[in-house]
């Protein structure tokens, strides 16, 4: 017996399989694998087929080719052979025992939010969602912020609001500010935070700046135009300028993570200053935070620094209430994920 579908249903199914230009749409994970196969293993980045002005970090595409993280065996998918879930869960449990709440904030891969920039023929709905994997963390007692869902909301409501740099491996100034406010909304009413208020914190009106990001070689910088992005500076207000609020050991809030916490804050190869996540988080909270951030530190580096600090100062965690851990989601399959204690006790 043959199953006959109404013509209207067939039309809808066909439309769902077509890319915007009317051609056959491609599966996202297959597109990622194709982009990797078409590039050299030594390439730092892969230019977009959908938009030649956009570049994608090769290591991030290597992460994305694993598909649905929730269905993957991360002890095998992770290039170091380490499943991050039990490591993160143990760290969260240790912090909870110290009276500290952990919030994990994985930054989604750029191509998962802007798949059409990688390839115009990709079917956006075929991008594996990060939410099921974050649910696995939640089941182990880890609170995580689903930025993928938040970023897709912004893409729908404000399509002109660019959330990632086209030529850099990091999020944009707009994303820094957005995520800072999402995180601050969870903790700004804590008594310990309100008691540590700092007067004079402010955000300046946006200004447009030009950047060449870290995904371009020197040769490419000669042929690829600088991208223009709006940036709002945040800090202690002084007329039409602000002063950077530096890391504060007295803060009840600890922020740890990779270069996503340094971009647009530290300047130099981090593109700009006073417009990063930490800058906006401090203004949104109304208080300074203590930072443990580093470039190329992965998931381990900042935790090592915290462990060393706790060894020198046994009371380090005594007045801390929240630890906000921000890192690129590619660390789930690219990071080492060593078990590093939150508190090191001297023998």
């Amino acid at each position: 017996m043959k199953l006959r579908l109404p013509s209207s249903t067939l039309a809808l199914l066909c439309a769902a399989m077509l890319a915007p230009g009317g051609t056959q749409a491609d599966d996202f994970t297959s597109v990622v694998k194709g982009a990797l196969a078409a590039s050299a293993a030594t390439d730092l980045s892969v230019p977009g087929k959908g938009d030649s002005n956009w570049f994608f970090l090769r290591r991030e595409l290597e992460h994305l080719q694993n598909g649905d993280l929730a269905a993957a065996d991360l002890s095998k998918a992770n290039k170091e052979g380490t499943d991050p879930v039990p490591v993160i869960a143990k760290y969260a449990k240790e912090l909870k025992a110290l009276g500290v709440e952990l919030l994990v904030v994985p930054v989604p891969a750029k191509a998962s939010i802007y798949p059409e920039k990688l390839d115009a023929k990709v079917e956006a709905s075929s991008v594996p969602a990060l939410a099921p994997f974050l649910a696995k963390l939640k089941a182990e007692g880890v609170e995580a912020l689903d930025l993928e869902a938040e970023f897709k909301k912004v893409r729908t409501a404000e399509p002109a609001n660019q959330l990632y740099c086209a030529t850099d491996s990091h999020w944009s100034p707009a994303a820094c500010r957005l995520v800072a406010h999402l995180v601050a909304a969870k903790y700004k009413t804590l008594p310990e935070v309100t008691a540590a208020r700092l007067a004079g914190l402010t955000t300046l009106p946006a200004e447009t700046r030009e950047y060449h990001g870290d995904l371009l070689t020197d040769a490419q910088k000669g042929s690829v135009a600088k991208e223009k992005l709006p940036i709002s500076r945040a800090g202690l207000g002084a007329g039409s300028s602000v002063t950077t609020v530096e890391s504060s050991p007295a803060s009840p809030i600890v922020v740890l993570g990779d270069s996503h916490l340094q971009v647009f804050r530290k300047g130099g190869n981090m593109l700009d200053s006073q417009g990063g996540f930490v800058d906006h988080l401090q203004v949104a909270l109304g208080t300074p935070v203590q930072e443990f951030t580093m470039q190329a530190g992965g998931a381990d580096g900042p935790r090592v620094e915290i462990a060393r600090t706790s060894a020198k100062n046994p009371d380090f965690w005594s007045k801390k209430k929240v630890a906000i851990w921000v890192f690129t989601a590619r660390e789930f399959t690219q990071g080492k994920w060593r078990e590093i204690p939150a508190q090191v006790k001297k023998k």
Side-chain angles (χ1 to χ4, degrees):
M1 179 178 176
K2 294 183 178 180
L3 177 63
R4 293 185 178 181
L5 296 175
S7 58
S8 59
T9 302
L10 286 171
L12 288 172
L13 288 172
C14 290
M17 296 175 64
L18 294 179
T23 57
Q24 185 74 28
D26 294 333
D27 173 73
F28 176 73
T29 305
S30 297
V31 166
V32 169
K33 291 179 179 179
L36 287 170
S39 64
T42 55
D43 288 345
L44 170 65
S45 65
V46 176
K49 288 179 64 178
D51 190 331
S52 59
N53 292 314
W54 280 61
F55 294 77
F56 299 86
L57 183 67
R58 183 180 175 85
R59 285 187 62 214
E60 196 156 78
L61 297 182
E62 290 172 349
H63 159 72
L64 289 172
Q65 72 177 338
N66 289 288
D68 181 8
L69 284 188
D73 180 351
L74 287 181
S75 65
K76 297 178 180 178
N78 179 281
K79 73 173 190 176
E80 300 288 343
T82 308
D83 187 344
V85 174
V87 176
I88 297 171
K90 184 176 181 180
Y91 200 64
K93 186 176 181 180
E94 289 180 9
L95 288 176
K96 187 175 182 180
L98 292 166
V100 179
E101 177 182 340
L102 176 66
L103 176 67
V104 173
V105 187
V107 181
K110 179 164 65 174
S112 68
I113 304 299
Y114 289 93
E116 80 285 358
K117 300 291 186 181
L118 180 63
D119 192 321
K121 295 194 299 180
V122 74
E123 173 52 57
S125 64
S126 68
V127 178
L130 193 56
F133 177 74
L134 299 184
K136 292 181 70 172
L137 285 175
K138 185 176 181 180
E140 296 296 326
V142 180
E143 183 178 4
L145 183 59
D146 186 0
L147 291 186
E148 189 173 79
E150 296 294 340
F151 285 179
K152 288 181 177 180
K153 288 178 187 177
V154 172
R155 285 218 62 188
T156 299
E158 307 171 56
N161 191 355
Q162 187 174 314
L163 296 170
Y164 288 79
C165 301
T167 64
D168 196 87
S169 59
H170 299 95
W171 52 14
S172 70
C176 291
R177 186 174 184 180
L178 168 67
V179 179
H181 281 267
L182 290 172
V183 173
K186 299 174 69 66
Y187 305 115
K188 63 183 179 181
T189 59
L190 287 177
E192 294 82 4
V193 172
T194 58
R197 295 285 187 198
L198 177 63
L201 291 171
T202 189
T203 302
L204 299 178
E207 58 179 302
T208 299
R209 300 268 289 174
E210 296 183 344
Y211 306 101
H212 265 152
D214 63 4
L215 295 179
L216 300 178
T217 64
D218 290 339
Q220 288 170 324
K221 289 178 182 178
S223 59
V224 177
K226 288 186 176 182
E227 58 179 312
K228 296 180 179 180
L229 294 172
I231 182 171
S232 301
R233 302 188 190 280
L236 280 172
S240 60
S241 64
V242 291
T243 301
T244 299
V245 178
E246 302 294 348
S247 177
S248 172
S251 176
I253 305 288
V254 171
V255 178
L256 64 150
D258 62 17
S259 55
H260 278 84
L261 297 177
Q262 296 194 352
V263 71
F264 301 110
R265 173 165 169 80
K266 297 296 185 180
N269 66 345
M270 290 290 98
L271 301 179
D272 217 322
S273 58
Q274 301 177 329
F277 170 83
V278 174
D279 300 292
H280 287 291
L281 178 65
Q282 293 181 133
V283 172
L285 287 172
T287 184
V289 301
Q290 185 169 13
E291 302 172 66
F292 290 87
T293 73
M294 61 178 60
Q295 296 179 41
D300 292 355
R303 288 184 296 138
V304 169
E305 288 303 307
I306 289 177
R308 288 172 176 165
T309 301
S310 72
K312 295 176 183 177
N313 177 15
D315 295 325
F316 171 74
W317 289 109
S318 63
K319 295 183 179 179
K320 306 300 183 187
K321 293 300 175 184
V322 177
I324 301 163
W325 190 3
V326 181
F327 56 87
T328 171
R330 72 174 179 271
E331 283 296 312
F332 290 134
T333 63
Q334 302 287 302
K336 291 184 177 180
W337 295 103
R338 292 176 293 165
E339 288 191 0
I340 299 166
Q343 175 72 60
V344 176
K345 297 180 180 180
K346 291 183 178 181
K347 294 181 180 179

